[in-house]
Amino acid sequence: MSEHVMACIDGSGYSTAVSDYAVWASQRLAAPLTFLHVLDNHLPPEEGNFSGNIGLGSREHLLEELASLDERRARIAREQGRSMLDAALERARDQGVEEPLARQRNGELVETLSELESETRLLVLGKRGESAHLASEHVGSNLERVVRAMHRPILMVPETYRDPQRVMIAFDGGKSTRKGIEMIAASPLFKGISFHIVMVGAGVADYRAQLDWALDTLRRAGLGVQGAIRAGEVEATLRAYQQENDIDMLVMGAYGHSRIRHLLVGSTTTAMLRKADIPLLLLR
């Protein structure tokens, strides 16, 4: 079974960027591209639904009208989703993707993505979905739940696309980030792109040895890379380095290596998710 770049689109302002980054990844990985729209059946109750207070004489008639209204609402949602998928397919074809696919599924997003995990090579989704709060640092609960549930790389993207040229890897020497370095070295996704490996902590001999290993691993793969060890608070230090070096994309491990965090998104990752204004690739 082929593993696809799976792009989640909805009615939010992120869908265009999701499409563009998914096309970028699909073409670099030479992997098939699938656009996915999930219709959540757990819709919030409509205002003015007083079915529980309906009198006996009219109760059956009004309940039928409410059921009919739900059916119409579901049909409209399906049609809107189909229209969004058609637009994404056309955009991908215009950018040179020969046979992009589209899937519309009913159900809950995290459960649907878990079901499709075996078909997914890379998951691309926006920082916030259409139902998320609009505050600039808010990360919708769906995104954090997806990160916890999935065992595939996840590319979380901002609202606008920028062709990645300079990629920063947040490296802590732990098992997950060492595995991430090896994944990057073996993947065609970043060929020809400049890398910055950044460790946050004191520049002691142990840190330097770990950084040298990471630099050597990527250089042996033919990638251009430079490294730095910075002192300071992790999230603020990474953000400062990003801004100083005009970084286009950040790569992180989705979890810290503390056992206490094994079921939770690491605190640094959560902070970066909240404040990210560039794509964030989370490696598992």
Side-chain angles (χ1 to χ4, degrees):
M1 180 182 296
S2 298
E3 290 187 332
H4 294 230
V5 173
M6 197 75 67
C8 293
I9 63 170
D10 56 20
S12 73
Y14 289 77
S15 290
T16 298
V18 167
S19 174
D20 290 347
Y21 278 107
V23 166
W24 171 82
S26 170
Q27 291 174 331
R28 281 185 159 262
L29 293 170
L33 171 59
T34 294
F35 294 102
L36 174 67
H37 178 248
V38 178
L39 289 161
D40 193 337
N41 295 323
H42 301 92
L43 296 172
E46 291 293 301
E47 293 184 9
N49 183 350
F50 303 111
S51 58
N53 299 324
I54 296 172
L56 291 176
S58 57
R59 183 180 180 89
E60 183 175 349
H61 172 67
L62 290 179
L63 286 177
E64 288 175 356
E65 287 192 0
L66 288 170
S68 176
L69 178 62
D70 286 341
E71 290 175 4
R72 290 198 300 273
R73 190 185 303 121
R75 185 181 68 252
I76 291 170
R78 286 195 301 270
E79 291 173 354
Q80 288 176 329
R82 188 70 247 176
S83 178
M84 287 186 287
L85 288 170
D86 288 343
L89 290 171
E90 182 178 1
R91 187 176 183 89
R93 293 188 192 102
D94 288 345
Q95 292 173 298
V97 179
E98 291 186 3
E99 297 182 355
L101 303 174
R103 300 177 74 165
Q104 189 174 62
R105 297 282 293 266
N106 287 288
E108 199 272 334
L109 177 64
V110 179
E111 292 176 359
T112 301
L113 291 174
S114 295
E115 292 170 3
L116 297 174
E117 186 171 67
S118 63
E119 303 174 38
T120 303
R121 182 169 180 179
L122 171 68
L123 176 64
V124 185
L125 72 170
K127 179 179 176 181
R128 295 190 297 274
E130 63 182 320
S131 61
H133 193 275
L134 295 179
S136 62
E137 293 186 1
H138 178 86
V139 176
S141 60
N142 267 339
L143 178 55
E144 293 191 16
R145 290 174 60 225
V146 168
V147 172
R148 287 195 294 269
M150 295 291 287
H151 297 85
R152 293 290 189 270
I154 299 171
L155 180 60
M156 184 203 75
V157 306
E159 207 162 359
T160 57
Y161 175 83
R162 184 168 77 165
D163 193 42
Q165 299 293 327
R166 292 166 296 279
V167 175
M168 177 171 70
I169 304 172
F171 182 66
D172 64 8
K175 181 179 179 180
S176 65
T177 55
R178 290 176 73 91
K179 182 179 178 182
I181 292 289
E182 293 170 341
M183 289 171 62
I184 289 167
S187 173
L189 184 63
F190 293 114
K191 297 300 182 185
I193 290 176
S194 173
F195 276 92
H196 297 247
I197 303 177
V198 182
M199 300 187 75
V200 180
V204 296
D206 184 47
Y207 268 42
R208 175 52 60 182
Q210 292 172 355
L211 179 60
D212 286 344
W213 172 87
L215 292 170
D216 290 344
T217 299
L218 293 189
R219 285 170 179 158
R220 286 197 302 271
L223 298 171
V225 59
Q226 57 186 288
I229 300 174
R230 295 276 184 100
E233 188 275 325
V234 175
E235 188 272 332
T237 303
L238 292 174
R239 180 165 297 280
Y241 189 96
Q242 168 202 326
Q243 294 170 347
E244 291 167 14
N245 293 275
D246 196 24
I247 298 296
D248 299 312
M249 182 179 291
L250 173 62
V251 180
M252 295 182 69
Y255 294 87
H257 44 266
S258 164
R259 290 184 179 179
I260 296 173
R261 299 191 191 282
H262 77 289
L263 290 177
L264 300 172
V265 176
S267 58
T268 298
T269 307
T270 302
M272 298 303 290
L273 283 169
R274 266 202 320 272
K275 298 182 179 180
D277 56 3
I278 60 173
L280 178 57
L281 177 61
L282 300 176
L283 299 178
R284 300 300 310 278

